[in-house]
Amino acid sequence: MARAPKTLQIDEEERFLTRVAWFYHVEGLTQGAVAERLGVTRLRVNKALADARRLGIVRISINSAFASSVDLDARLRERFGLAEAYIVPSPADPGNVQTIVGTALGHHLTRILADPAITLFGMSWGNTLNLATRFMEPVHRPDLEIVSMMGGMTKGSDINTFEVTTRLADLCAAQHSYFTAPLYAGSKESRDTLMGLDVFRAVLDKIRRVDAVTMAAGDTSKQSILVKDGLPSDIAVEELIEAGAVGDILGQFLDAEGRLVDHPINDRVIGVGLGDLFEMNSVILAAGGANKVPILTAALGTGAVDVFISDEDTAQAILAAAGERPQGKARA
């Protein structure tokens, strides 16, 4: 049975941003006229318009087949054997890359989740995926189920798997289910015990049957949410880097060649593994930024990704790092 959407909590700041956006974009007032009507400075109006775009209150749609770089799309598809690449212009400010890529992912999710053939959809977590829910158009899919792909972090966060899964389900008027486990067990033995339980086996079987899944990628810098808040207390990121890790996919750390690093942390992940992605129908990877080029190059090089969403600068850096020798899908 479909759940009723949660009651929206709109604060005064969001109300102000919405009023500024309406007067400027809909009524066509100048920034000076908006400032005068609202009794604020023009500088505040200018900042509010930027914040409204960043938060997804204002969405700009360019109706052109050439809005994204079709050249980079084609080169990435050929190099990594992708079914689809969705590359968007990079922002002038590199700090806005996640917002731009999140916007593109939101548009993509609007399209694919409206497809009645998609009835079970897997959702990972991360800031890019969180932003995507801000830029996605609501769809009415009470027959759809959103399932979280990963265990959660112990620290509360609006980009945690539970929050992102719930938000996406609300946007689709869909059902949802959680993978209610921590991302990492205390040891390989405890991981094996947990994953052997009937309740976890049932959830993992459901995850492996998804019609499509979207995920992000994390690097090994302090910008990574997993590095900051999600690693077990007995694991230091420095030892992962020493083992050759360039980042993680679904909590599993890879080296520059896309191989799992030889480190006990990969045996402690509670959830599906890298190998499970090869059996899923459509694996969507969305991420961008110079800091993520090594892990994105590695992830794409595994052949497990079907759809890649990123920005032009990141795409160009990936192609430069990987070379452009075509690589077909090498399903395990």
Side-chain angles (χ1 to χ4, degrees):
M1 178 181 296
R3 298 173 299 101
K6 290 183 176 179
T7 301
L8 293 176
Q9 300 295 325
I10 301 176
D11 60 25
E12 285 302 310
E13 179 62 15
E14 184 170 343
R15 181 172 180 270
F16 172 74
L17 297 180
T18 303
R19 295 179 72 197
V20 170
W22 179 269
F23 290 144
Y24 183 80
H25 291 288
V26 179
E27 295 193 13
L29 300 183
T30 65
Q31 291 188 22
V34 175
E36 184 176 350
R37 176 173 292 194
L38 295 178
V40 298
T41 65
R42 183 172 176 175
L43 179 62
R44 189 177 180 197
V45 168
N46 182 272
K47 182 178 183 301
L49 289 169
D51 287 343
R53 289 193 298 273
R54 177 175 59 83
L55 295 172
I57 294 171
V58 171
R59 302 171 183 175
I60 298 174
S61 176
I62 301 176
N63 297 316
S64 169
F66 303 100
S68 62
S69 173
V70 293
D71 175 58
L72 283 170
D73 291 352
R75 288 161 60 192
L76 284 163
R77 288 198 309 270
E78 181 179 9
R79 173 62 182 84
F80 296 107
L82 300 169
E84 184 179 355
Y86 183 2
I87 305 303
V88 295
S90 298
D93 180 357
N96 291 329
V97 167
Q98 282 190 325
T99 301
I100 293 297
V101 177
T103 302
L105 176 59
H107 293 169
H108 186 73
L109 291 179
T110 300
R111 176 168 62 86
I112 67 169
L113 293 181
D115 182 356
I118 303 292
T119 59
L120 186 61
F121 185 79
M123 194 70 168
S124 176
W125 58 265
N127 196 39
T128 299
L129 275 61
N130 172 50
L131 287 166
T133 64
R134 297 287 298 196
F135 293 97
M136 180 185 159
E137 296 290 341
V139 296
H140 188 67
R141 288 294 313 280
D143 60 319
L144 173 68
E145 181 177 356
I146 309 295
V147 57
S148 62
M149 288 285 296
M150 302 168 64
M153 295 186 297
T154 55
K155 289 189 177 180
S157 168
D158 63 357
I159 65 172
N160 209 336
T161 179
F162 308 125
E163 286 74 13
V164 174
T165 299
T166 301
R167 197 174 304 118
L168 183 61
D170 285 343
L171 281 166
C172 299
Q175 305 168 62
H176 70 271
S177 56
Y178 298 137
F179 186 31
T180 51
L183 180 55
Y184 296 108
S187 66
K188 179 182 184 302
E189 291 72 24
S190 59
R191 189 281 307 266
D192 291 344
T193 298
L194 286 170
M195 291 183 63
L197 297 175
D198 290 345
V199 61
F200 284 120
R201 285 208 307 269
V203 174
L204 290 169
D205 287 344
K206 177 186 287 188
I207 292 172
R208 294 184 180 109
R209 298 195 310 271
V210 294
D211 299 305
V213 57
T214 188
M215 61 185 189
D219 63 7
T220 55
S221 75
K222 293 182 179 179
Q223 298 179 60
S224 166
I225 301 298
L226 179 59
V227 168
K228 286 194 299 183
D229 296 329
L231 288 179
S233 59
D234 60 329
I235 300 293
V237 68
E238 290 78 13
E239 63 187 82
L240 296 173
I241 295 172
E242 186 176 348
V246 295
D248 80 283
I249 296 291
L250 300 178
Q252 295 191 312
F253 284 84
L254 309 181
D255 66 15
E257 303 301 319
R259 299 170 302 213
L260 293 172
V261 298
D262 184 14
H263 189 280
I265 194 169
N266 285 334
D267 294 324
R268 293 167 58 177
V269 175
I270 304 174
V272 294
L274 183 64
D276 292 306
L277 297 177
F278 290 98
E279 304 305 320
M280 296 178 186
N281 291 329
S282 182
V283 176
I284 305 160
L285 174 62
N291 57 307
K292 294 193 177 181
V293 169
I295 181 58
L296 291 174
T297 305
L300 291 170
T302 66
V305 177
D306 298 291
V307 179
F308 179 51
I309 300 174
S310 193
D311 69 293
E312 290 179 354
D313 289 349
T314 302
Q316 289 172 342
I318 288 170
L319 287 168
E324 297 203 31
R325 175 176 49 82
Q327 173 179 305
K329 297 285 278 186
R331 292 288 185 182

